[in-house]
Amino acid sequence: MSSPAATPIATESEQPALRDFGGGPFGIYVHVPFCATRCGYCDFNTYTAGELGTSASPDSWLEGLRGELSAAARRFARLPTPTPEVATVFVGGGTPSLLGGDGLAAVLDAVRAEFTLAPDAEVTTEANPESTDPAFFARIRAAGYTRVSLGMQSAARHVLEVLDRTHTPGRPVAAAVEARAAGFDHVNLDLIYGTPGERDADIDAGVDAVLAAGVDHVSAYSLIVEDGTALARRVRRGELPAPDEDVLAARYERIDARLSTAGFDWYEVSNWAIGDSARCRHNLGYWDGGDWLGAGPGAHSHVGGVRWWNVKHPARYVDRVAGGGLPAAGWEALTRSERHTERVMLAVRLRTGLPLSDLDPGGRAAVPAVVGRGLASVVGDRLVLTDRGRLLADGVVRELLV
C-alpha cells in the first residue's frame, strides 16, 4: 500500500495492475455526505448540519466534487487504454435528495462535464421519502436520472422509531407512486428486517406496502448492529435485544416467499426485481468485479485491480481537492489472491452463480460437500446457491476459499 499522498491512478509503468482497465462496464459512484438527522443504526460516512457546523456545506462539497471529477478524468487520460463510456452512475449517501432537484441535476452535469455517458446509461439516486415531492421527481427525471432508490425500511411506526427513522409509514409508498408518475420506470424500495420488536405482521405489512407501490425492484437487508452506533449502545446497555440469527433467517424466507409469489425474482441474495431490465446495473458492476470511480468524501474506487479511498470528512475532502489532486487517503493494488477471494465472495451471491473455472483446486474440491448438504447446485458450469444456501452464503464462501 502506498502512502496517503501517492497517486492511485498512474501510468501503466507505474501501476501494471491498471492494464486490466476498460475490459468491462465502468461506473461512477457519487457520495453525498449530508443527512438531516442520524439514524440510530447507521455507520455510513454522513454528517448532520450540527455536526458539520460551518466547516463544509453542499455548495463547497459540489465544488469539491467538480474538482475531483476533473482531476480523475485527467489521470484516466494518462492510461494506455481509452476511458470507457460511463455505463452507470449512482448517487448515494447520506441523503442525496437533500440537495433538491436542482442540486442533483448539478451533480449529473458535473459527471457529464468530465466523462462520456453511454446512450443507455443507468443513472440512479437514493432518496429519503420525506425530502421528495412530485416536483423533485419531475426535475431529476428531466435532468437525466433513470432510476430512484427510496429508503423505506418498514411500514410499522414502532419499528421506524427503533431505527430512528423520521419518515411516516405511508410516505415511501406515496413517493414511489410520485416517482412512477414522473416517468421513472425503475423504482426501488429498501426494507430492513430483524429490528428488535418487529413481528411477522410487520414484515407482511412492509411487503404489502411495497407491492401496493408498484415498484419493480426491492432490496431487503438484515439489521446489523454496527459498533459505534446509537443502536449498538442501546443493545450493549440491555435496552434492546440483539438480532437473533434464527429470526433473521425466518424473516428473510418470509420476504422472499411473498415477493416471489408477486412476480419478483431474486438476482442477488438481498435483491429482487421484476424482469432483467429492473436489476440495478450499477450494483451488478460491483458484484461482477467491474471498475468504478468513487467520488466524494469517503468514497471507494476500484479500477483495473487498484483500489483507493477518499478522506472522509467533507472539509478535508474540499481542502484536498482545492490543492489540485485527488483526495485519496490511501490505495492498494490487489494481489491475484485478493482478487480471487473477492470474486468468489461476490459472484456466489448472484443467481447467475459462480463459474467453476473461477475456483482454485481447493475450492473445486469443496464443491461436492457444499452440493451434498443442499447449499448449492451445479448448473452447467456454474455453482448456484439453493434457497437454503442463500441463508448460509457466508459459510459457503468460507468453504470455497479454504
Side-chain angles (χ1 to χ4, degrees):
M1 184 183 299
S2 78
S3 67
T7 301
I9 308 175
T11 63
E12 185 180 24
S13 62
E14 293 170 312
Q15 288 298 333
L18 288 174
R19 292 170 183 158
D20 294 339
F21 178 47
F26 175 53
I28 292 179
Y29 170 77
V30 176
H31 186 72
V32 180
F34 308 109
C35 280
T37 61
R38 181 173 295 281
C39 299
Y41 64 92
C42 180
D43 72 337
F44 293 165
N45 186 46
T46 62
Y47 305 83
T48 65
E51 291 168 339
L52 282 174
T54 59
S55 64
S57 69
D59 287 341
S60 65
W61 166 84
L62 182 58
E63 280 305 304
L65 177 68
R66 292 187 178 111
E68 181 185 9
L69 291 171
S70 177
R74 292 194 301 271
R75 297 294 175 83
F76 280 126
R78 291 168 46 187
L79 298 178
T81 55
T83 302
E85 291 182 331
V86 177
T88 63
V89 178
F90 195 106
V91 184
T95 309
S97 49
L98 285 179
L99 300 177
D102 289 343
L104 282 171
V107 169
L108 190 52
D109 285 343
V111 173
R112 288 195 183 106
E114 305 295 342
F115 295 89
T116 301
L117 268 63
D120 64 343
E122 174 194 88
V123 184
T124 303
T125 185
E126 294 179 337
N128 185 320
E130 292 292 346
S131 52
T132 65
D133 57 28
F136 166 85
F137 291 118
R139 177 69 179 96
I140 63 173
R141 185 70 189 93
Y145 286 82
T146 65
R147 186 173 180 275
V148 174
S149 182
L150 295 160
M152 175 177 168
Q153 286 71 51
S154 176
R157 187 179 298 276
H158 69 98
V159 173
L160 294 173
E161 289 174 353
V162 171
L163 296 173
D164 292 327
R165 293 292 296 181
T166 57
H167 63 257
T168 54
R171 179 56 199 157
V173 171
V177 171
E178 291 167 1
R180 296 298 295 268
F184 282 95
D185 293 327
H186 304 304
V187 181
N188 171 67
L189 282 171
D190 279 347
L191 294 173
I192 289 178
Y193 60 91
T195 301
E198 180 185 71
R199 304 161 300 192
D200 285 350
D202 299 324
I203 291 292
D204 290 340
V207 176
D208 287 343
V210 164
L211 299 179
V215 299
D216 64 349
H217 190 286
V218 179
S219 301
Y221 305 104
S222 65
L223 179 66
I224 298 175
V225 180
E226 302 284 3
D227 290 341
T229 62
L231 179 62
R233 291 189 290 273
R234 295 184 68 186
V235 170
R236 188 170 57 249
R237 291 193 299 262
E239 297 175 14
L240 294 171
D244 180 272
E245 292 297 326
D246 291 335
V247 171
L248 292 176
R251 297 276 192 261
Y252 178 88
E253 291 177 324
R254 195 178 191 93
I255 292 170
D256 179 56
R258 292 287 313 280
L259 292 176
S260 297
T261 299
F264 287 82
D265 291 320
W266 77 277
Y267 69 97
E268 192 274 341
V269 168
S270 298
N271 290 271
W272 293 257
I274 296 179
D276 292 352
S277 65
R279 298 175 178 182
C280 179
R281 288 164 48 201
H282 185 84
N283 286 342
L284 280 169
Y286 297 151
W287 298 319
D288 284 333
D291 294 317
W292 72 90
L293 170 68
H300 286 231
S301 300
H302 176 275
V303 174
V306 176
R307 177 186 290 122
W308 67 95
W309 48 95
N310 287 347
V311 295
K312 287 188 172 183
H313 196 279
R316 286 193 62 211
Y317 167 79
V318 171
D319 288 344
R320 290 286 289 271
V321 174
L326 290 171
W331 65 271
E332 60 185 353
L334 300 177
T335 65
R336 183 182 298 273
S337 175
E338 289 169 335
R339 296 182 76 173
H340 168 71
T341 296
E342 292 199 357
R343 173 63 179 158
V344 173
M345 289 176 61
L346 295 172
V348 81
R349 295 178 60 88
L350 295 172
R351 186 164 194 158
T352 51
L354 171 70
L356 295 173
S357 59
D358 284 353
L359 292 170
D360 59 20
R364 286 193 289 273
V367 167
V370 171
V371 172
R373 294 202 307 281
L375 301 178
S377 58
V378 176
V379 181
D381 61 351
R382 291 174 175 262
L383 186 72
V384 180
L385 293 176
T386 61
D387 290 347
R388 181 166 178 264
R390 279 189 277 161
L391 298 173
L392 301 169
D394 291 344
V396 172
V397 168
R398 286 193 294 270
E399 291 194 51
L400 297 176
L401 290 175
V402 170

